[in-house]
Amino acid sequence: MSTIKKNIVANFSGNLWTAIMSIIFVPLYIKFMGIESYGLIGIFTSLLSIFGLLDMGLSPTLNREMARLSVLPGKAQEMRDFVRTLEVIYWGVGLFIAIAIIALAAPIANYWIKSNKLPASTVHQALMIMGCIMAFQWPFRCYSGGLMGLQKQVHLNGINIGFATLRGVGAVFVLWRISPTIQAFFTWQIIMSLLHTLTTATFLWKNLPTTGHFSHFQIKLLLPIWSFSAGLTGISVVSLILTQTDKIILSRMLTLEMFGYYTLALVISQSLYNFFGPVNSAIFPRFCQLISASDHSELIMLYHKSCQFLSVLVLPVAIVISLFSSQIMLLWTGNNLIVSNT
């Protein structure tokens, strides 16, 4: 329980700081680039979620397997081989996503996105840069899932806090001193995504048990976990339909400016994820360990305590956001036009 509490605190610290860094600079992004450019950031977020289906449940599967194998004797080499196998798959999928987005950039810019102020060429360039970001950001799912399964979530959140700060502060500096364009913003994100992923990968491999042998790609290691991964993929499909259909439709129906306002509203409403995400990340590996150890009484107790804790955290904040949305938006942006449109 002490490890769980420590991980929950670390996850809350990481999520809270990341949320602050992603929210506090939004008014400056809009000031430097304009609301249409911010709408493209919303497009990028939607693309990231849509292509998330290609994860096929492998990231939470890695989380589960690292937690399960860590309490079983003689599994060190299997852990290392499992990480190597998924690592190769994730980098390959990241490259595929980048190629797909770059190939679709022109038709999306010319026929899907409705921009009044930004030329289609700018939107096209931004989409191509998004593809490069995806290539470097995608494997982060693998490495973060591994660290969470090993319950090294303090390390992971330390990394996330550092790079969230660099992403936010660095982006503002780039827009202020170098170029106030969406291309400059996304180019900075490419650099940060690559460094973030490589740093997380280094920490994961250092925390895996050593065996004195090389790690190998072994596709057979995926066979025992295909059903669990397939189940998570089904959940992901339903989740995508419920959470992304609106964005896909509205990115076509609305102008890029109005989609930017819609993205701002999502930022506020989805801030609730920062409350239950840290608890889920800390509890899930412990659930896996308890199931592997057949400790059902401890599992039941931990489940009920987790549900009660989440209710206390989420419900009051949700009510405040629902009742005082205009005041929150005005306090955040200081712009009545943005408040009325959002």
Side-chain angles (χ1 to χ4, degrees):
M1 289 299 296
S2 61
T3 300
I4 292 176
K5 291 177 181 177
K6 183 172 64 176
N7 286 336
I8 289 176
V9 172
N11 290 337
F12 266 111
S13 301
N15 277 35
L16 178 62
W17 187 256
T18 300
I20 291 173
M21 289 296 101
S22 63
I23 291 175
I24 196 172
F25 296 120
V26 168
L28 292 176
Y29 296 157
I30 297 174
K31 177 182 177 180
F32 285 121
M33 298 186 299
I35 190 66
E36 283 199 340
S37 292
Y38 188 73
L40 287 175
I41 298 176
I43 296 291
F44 172 71
T45 304
S46 295
L47 287 174
L48 194 63
S49 298
I50 293 169
F51 280 103
L53 286 178
L54 296 179
D55 183 87
M56 296 177 292
L58 291 179
S59 177
T61 300
L62 177 60
N63 186 340
R64 186 193 73 160
E65 288 300 293
M66 291 298 100
R68 185 181 67 85
L69 295 174
S70 66
V71 296
L72 299 177
K75 295 294 184 178
Q77 187 61 44
E78 183 177 342
M79 292 174 70
R80 297 181 67 88
D81 289 343
F82 194 79
V83 171
R84 177 68 72 197
T85 301
L86 291 192
E87 180 183 54
V88 172
I89 293 174
Y90 269 92
W91 280 102
V93 172
L95 179 61
F96 168 79
I97 293 174
I99 294 173
I101 293 177
I102 292 173
L104 294 171
I108 292 175
N110 292 316
Y111 303 111
W112 188 268
I113 296 176
K114 299 178 180 179
S115 174
N116 294 326
K117 297 179 181 178
L118 291 178
S121 59
T122 298
V123 177
H124 182 199
Q125 292 170 7
L127 287 166
M128 294 181 69
I129 300 174
M130 289 180 200
C132 297
I133 297 173
M134 293 281 282
F136 296 134
Q137 188 169 324
W138 189 257
F140 173 77
R141 291 169 172 254
C142 171
Y143 303 124
S144 63
L147 283 175
M148 285 191 290
L150 293 174
Q151 300 199 56
K152 299 296 182 180
Q153 295 171 26
V154 175
H155 295 105
L156 177 60
N157 281 282
I159 296 170
N160 291 343
I161 287 172
F163 277 97
T165 305
L166 288 173
R167 282 178 186 271
V169 175
V172 171
F173 180 82
V174 168
L175 295 174
W176 174 42
R177 303 298 298 176
I178 299 177
S179 175
T181 61
I182 190 63
Q183 296 98 318
F185 175 87
F186 279 137
T187 299
W188 176 250
Q189 301 308 313
I190 289 179
I191 299 171
M192 288 297 97
S193 294
L194 177 60
L195 293 178
H196 193 185
T197 297
L198 293 179
T199 302
T200 309
T202 301
F203 270 81
L204 173 58
W205 282 105
K206 284 186 176 181
N207 281 282
L208 286 171
T210 57
T211 61
H213 301 285
F214 288 109
S215 304
H216 300 285
F217 177 88
Q218 296 190 41
I219 196 67
K220 65 179 182 180
L221 294 176
L222 301 180
L223 297 179
I225 53 90
W226 73 267
S227 59
F228 179 76
S229 179
L232 290 176
T233 301
I235 294 173
S236 297
V237 172
V238 176
S239 177
L240 178 69
I241 294 172
L242 294 174
T243 62
Q244 299 301 318
T245 303
D246 59 325
K247 303 173 190 65
I248 296 172
I249 295 173
L250 292 177
S251 65
R252 171 61 176 164
M253 294 176 60
L254 301 179
T255 63
L256 195 54
E257 177 184 358
M258 293 309 299
F259 189 76
Y261 292 127
Y262 188 75
T263 301
L264 282 173
L266 288 172
V267 169
I268 292 294
S269 63
Q270 292 181 347
S271 63
L272 291 174
Y273 283 95
N274 295 307
F275 288 89
F276 61 77
V279 179
N280 176 67
S281 298
I283 295 299
F284 180 72
R286 183 58 181 160
F287 277 175
C288 298
Q289 290 179 337
L290 292 173
I291 290 174
S292 296
S294 299
D295 192 347
H296 298 295
S297 60
E298 178 70 19
L299 178 67
I300 292 170
M301 182 184 70
L302 182 58
Y303 170 75
H304 286 291
K305 283 187 176 181
S306 304
C307 290
Q308 293 164 14
F309 184 52
L310 281 175
S311 298
V312 172
L313 282 177
V314 175
L315 293 178
V317 181
I319 293 172
V320 171
I321 291 177
S322 298
L323 297 180
F324 301 101
S325 56
S326 296
Q327 292 88 338
I328 292 172
M329 286 299 304
L330 185 60
L331 181 64
W332 178 32
T333 65
N335 188 313
N336 286 307
L337 178 64
I338 291 177
V339 173
S340 63
N341 282 307
T342 303

